[in-house]
Amino acid sequence: MCPKEARRPGVDSRSILTDPGGGTSPQRGEGHWDSLRDWWLRGRYQIFLYFTCAFQNISCGIHYLASVFMTVFPKYTCRPPGNVSRVLFHNVSNWRLDDIWNLLPLSHEDHVVVQLQNGEIWELNRCYRFRRDNMSTLNYDYNGHKSGSPCLDGYIYDKSKWDSTVVTHWDLVCNREWFARLIQPTFMLGVLLGALIFGYLSDRVGRRLVLWSTSTGMYLFGIAAAFALDYYSFMIIRFLLAIVASGYLVVVFVYVTELIGMKARTWASIHVHSFFAIGTMVVALTGYLVRTWWIYQIILSTVTFPFVLCCWMLPETPFWLLSEGRYEEAQIVVDKMAKWNRASTCQLSELLSPDVYGPVGNKPPEVNEHNLLDLFYDWNIGTRTLIVWLIWFTGCLGFYSFSLNSVNLGGNEYLNLFLMGAVEIPAYVFVCLGMDIVGRRNILIISLISSAVFCGVIMVIPKDYYVWSVVTTMAGKFAIGSAFGLIYLYTAELYPTMIRTQAMGSGSMVSRAGSIIAPLCIYLSSVWIFMPQLLVGILAFVSGMLTLKLPETLGKPLATTWEEATRLDVEKDGSSGK
């Protein structure tokens, strides 16, 4: 049976078309649609769709963080121009150059002295090699004349941890090191582009087609990256992989929101990110078990395959079909849901006004166009927008900085990354429980300020106490992950219906800028080891303090007009005055 409040033949469909999936309060006259969603939620069909789509989010988490181990820089030195008969490193002598890594760590100032079978003596360091003119003695220190040359015969790498990485496969070291440094920022640039492209396409061609195409693309591009012939083809494939992975991640959030009932929508939408965290843990586990980069890439890409096989079962969301005027197809989807759920179906003709559902109603009502400038409707809204953008940027920058830097904390880098992923799941539970108790804004302030404090604590922990560094980093990731997970919902509640999508999209774009900068921020640790924590800590503290200027949305109906959106600031000022 349809809910009684939904069975009103005079209902205006404009509320659906302007805010599908976003939801408004019953006070706004849309309680019947929320009740309809709750009715849909009671069945197994929505559960099947939710976990099917959420499972694919694991693949997104995998590809976003896969480069952590693919771009590992092992210890290396120049390869000599011939067969080695003897090796000297300080006062330690050996017969095999490959065993030098077991003797002492090779720093920038150190070099290795080798004697070739033809009697030549060479000094080898990371990026240059020198041939000694005097071949009478094999001493580590030499003050005589020697001639230098670059590493024309390649390099010798330490294979104690990884047999092969992208760095060792294409010799991305010395003057080619910046090629390796560009791999993750270029991927994140593709993430930004994918969010723009597929966010637009999902509103034009539908959510289902985008989910199909992006999932298939993730599988094909993921496998193709493992068989790239050279560095440039690898970068192009990874760029395309980033575009489709980002497209799926953006659209699946909308897809799930439009299919889940109001009572479970918050938990369901936020915990979609938990599956992304599982992907991070899969990366850590696979990196620990597989030490050849192209095999590692193939194994990670196969996670997408089960979804590719069953994604054809995903229906289009009824809300998108209704917004396109395809009422008969929407009715078919509703009937299919009812059949799976063993319930009576709802007739959409009873919910929509006759002029909309009738033969002449083949086009949705016209909606006024809005653009990015509307986010600066007045001084208060403009200030709100800038603060929200800063929170998006800080959350994304901190989120990826903590994850990417986890392999540099000391100890077991695989365990570190696994813990960085695992700590996200309780963070999202904390958000879901806390935001309905103390409010969205208060949880956001607590999370941002806490992450800033943890960044400061990390900077004062001695290097030898890496266990405490890992624990504190986990706490920082917990805090920034809570903020990043909450800002999605909080942004939607801060803006009225007609501009809500623009607000979400612009915030996502700004956050992608943070994800592009995050790997570059990690590279600044070569300047000062705590530079990433310093930058994230400052931004988190500033963002947390500025969040005090934002209104609280707990218990408030979603705004549908600018007047209602600006009234949130008035109510905030009034409550603070009291």
Side-chain angles (χ1 to χ4, degrees):
M1 285 290 291
C2 291
K4 291 182 180 179
E5 61 268 32
R7 304 182 68 178
R8 291 154 59 178
V11 172
D12 186 2
S13 66
R14 287 180 176 82
S15 59
I16 310 165
L17 302 177
T18 55
D19 190 22
T24 56
S25 71
Q27 292 91 328
R28 301 283 180 253
E30 297 183 20
H32 52 280
W33 281 107
D34 286 325
S35 299
L36 180 58
R37 289 181 194 156
D38 290 338
W39 170 70
W40 284 346
L41 179 64
R42 297 187 189 118
R44 70 192 77 179
Y45 193 62
Q46 286 71 20
I47 297 175
F48 166 76
L49 293 179
Y50 176 77
F51 283 102
T52 300
C53 295
F55 175 83
Q56 180 66 350
N57 247 28
I58 298 176
S59 296
C60 295
I62 284 173
H63 293 304
Y64 275 51
L65 275 302
S67 66
V68 170
F69 296 124
M70 280 197 300
T71 57
V72 169
F73 279 86
K75 291 179 286 187
Y76 62 93
T77 188
C78 270
R79 184 181 297 277
N83 296 324
V84 176
S85 61
R86 191 178 178 187
V87 180
L88 182 67
F89 186 79
H90 289 288
N91 60 346
V92 181
S93 180
N94 203 335
W95 297 104
R96 295 184 69 251
L97 185 58
D98 291 336
D99 295 335
I100 194 66
W101 316 114
N102 299 324
L103 302 177
L104 288 173
L106 189 65
S107 66
H108 287 280
E109 296 78 15
D110 291 324
H111 63 268
V112 180
V113 181
V114 298
Q115 186 175 36
L116 305 184
Q117 292 180 352
N118 61 6
E120 292 183 351
I121 299 177
W122 288 78
E123 292 182 9
L124 311 176
N125 61 24
R126 286 190 168 190
C127 300
Y128 289 93
R129 59 187 184 180
F130 302 89
R131 185 176 64 85
R132 295 179 179 179
D133 291 342
N134 186 355
M135 296 185 293
S136 59
T137 58
L138 183 64
N139 298 323
Y140 187 80
D141 296 320
Y142 175 76
N143 296 322
H145 185 268
K146 52 189 177 182
S147 56
S149 64
C151 304
L152 300 177
D153 295 285
Y155 304 85
I156 295 177
Y157 298 98
D158 178 15
K159 296 184 178 181
S160 60
K161 291 186 176 181
W162 276 78
D163 295 330
S164 173
T165 68
V166 172
V167 173
T168 64
H169 189 75
W170 288 303
D171 289 335
L172 304 180
V173 292
C174 295
N175 61 334
R176 289 170 54 86
E177 182 176 329
W178 67 277
F179 284 96
R181 303 295 190 191
L182 285 177
I183 290 178
Q184 187 65 11
T186 303
F187 183 91
M188 289 303 179
L189 182 61
V191 168
L192 170 62
L193 187 60
L196 295 175
I197 294 174
F198 288 103
Y200 173 82
L201 288 178
S202 69
D203 288 335
R204 295 297 179 267
V205 302
R207 286 76 164 106
R208 178 177 63 171
L209 183 59
V210 170
L211 294 181
W212 287 5
S213 58
T214 53
S215 299
T216 305
M218 266 195 284
Y219 178 69
L220 296 179
F221 291 134
I223 296 295
F227 296 97
L229 299 178
D230 53 34
Y231 168 81
Y232 299 101
S233 61
F234 173 78
M235 290 290 285
I236 293 173
I237 294 172
R238 283 266 301 173
F239 185 75
L240 296 174
L241 175 61
I243 291 176
V244 295
S246 173
Y248 182 89
L249 194 62
V250 170
V251 177
V252 75
F253 188 86
V254 177
Y255 186 84
V256 168
T257 302
E258 292 182 353
L259 286 173
I260 298 299
M262 182 180 64
K263 294 181 180 179
R265 188 185 310 131
T266 299
W267 277 80
S269 59
I270 288 181
H271 278 284
V272 166
H273 301 300
S274 297
F275 291 85
F276 187 95
I278 294 174
T280 304
M281 293 187 281
V282 171
V283 169
L285 181 61
T286 307
Y288 176 76
L289 297 174
V290 181
R291 304 300 175 88
T292 302
W293 77 269
W294 62 272
I295 300 177
Y296 162 88
Q297 176 67 24
I298 291 176
I299 293 175
L300 292 178
S301 299
T302 55
V303 176
T304 303
F305 188 66
F307 182 81
V308 173
L309 291 179
C310 65
C311 66
W312 60 271
M313 300 178 64
L314 299 179
E316 186 55 78
T317 65
F319 292 97
W320 183 83
L321 293 172
L322 290 173
S323 70
E324 293 294 307
R326 296 159 63 172
Y327 305 107
E328 294 182 359
E329 296 177 50
Q331 184 65 61
I332 293 174
V333 175
V334 172
D335 293 342
K336 185 176 182 180
M337 289 181 177
K339 183 177 180 181
W340 271 65
N341 298 337
R342 298 177 181 177
S344 301
T345 188
C346 271
Q347 296 299 321
L348 296 180
S349 58
E350 299 179 6
L351 304 176
L352 302 175
S353 54
D355 60 316
V356 173
Y357 194 82
V360 297
N362 54 5
K363 293 184 180 180
E366 293 184 2
V367 181
N368 293 329
E369 294 291 336
H370 297 274
N371 54 50
L372 200 62
L373 293 178
D374 290 328
L375 294 175
F376 299 88
Y377 173 77
D378 58 22
W379 174 261
N380 290 330
I381 296 296
T383 303
R384 180 187 303 181
T385 298
L386 293 177
I387 296 174
V388 168
W389 282 357
L390 179 61
I391 297 171
W392 275 92
F393 178 83
T394 303
C396 196
L397 176 65
F399 183 90
Y400 286 106
S401 294
F402 279 118
S403 296
L404 296 174
N405 197 45
S406 63
V407 297
N408 302 322
L409 297 176
N412 190 312
E413 58 265 40
Y414 307 102
L415 179 61
N416 292 350
L417 183 62
F418 184 90
L419 293 176
M420 291 304 113
V423 77
E424 291 180 43
I425 299 176
Y428 300 136
V429 175
F430 165 75
V431 167
C432 291
L433 294 176
M435 67 182 182
D436 288 332
I437 299 176
V438 301
R440 278 80 158 133
R441 185 186 63 172
N442 293 335
I443 289 294
L444 197 56
I445 294 172
I446 292 171
S447 300
L448 290 170
I449 299 297
S450 297
S451 63
V453 171
F454 289 128
C455 285
V457 173
I458 293 172
M459 295 167 62
V460 300
I461 296 177
K463 186 177 181 180
D464 295 336
Y465 293 84
Y466 65 85
V467 174
W468 289 106
S469 296
V470 173
V471 172
T472 310
T473 303
M474 288 178 61
K477 179 66 180 298
F478 179 98
I480 205 69
S482 300
F484 194 40
L486 177 57
I487 193 60
Y488 283 84
L489 177 65
Y490 192 44
T491 301
E493 294 178 343
L494 286 174
Y495 292 90
T497 299
M498 78 284 294
I499 200 65
R500 187 170 296 128
T501 302
Q502 291 280 355
M504 294 286 291
S506 64
S508 180
M509 285 181 57
V510 173
S511 73
R512 300 311 169 194
S515 65
I516 294 172
I517 296 176
L520 302 177
C521 181
I522 300 301
Y523 300 148
L524 291 177
S525 59
S526 60
V527 178
W528 185 46
I529 190 172
F530 295 120
M531 186 65 76
Q533 289 85 355
L534 178 64
L535 295 177
V536 173
I538 292 175
L539 285 173
F541 180 78
V542 173
S543 301
M545 298 304 295
L546 290 176
T547 304
L548 291 169
K549 297 181 65 65
L550 298 178
E552 179 57 70
T553 58
L554 176 62
K556 307 288 179 61
L558 288 182
T560 57
T561 64
W562 283 117
E563 289 72 17
E564 294 171 358
T566 54
R567 194 180 304 147
L568 293 173
D569 288 302
V570 176
E571 294 174 356
K572 173 178 73 72
D573 295 337
S575 60
S576 61
K578 292 180 183 180

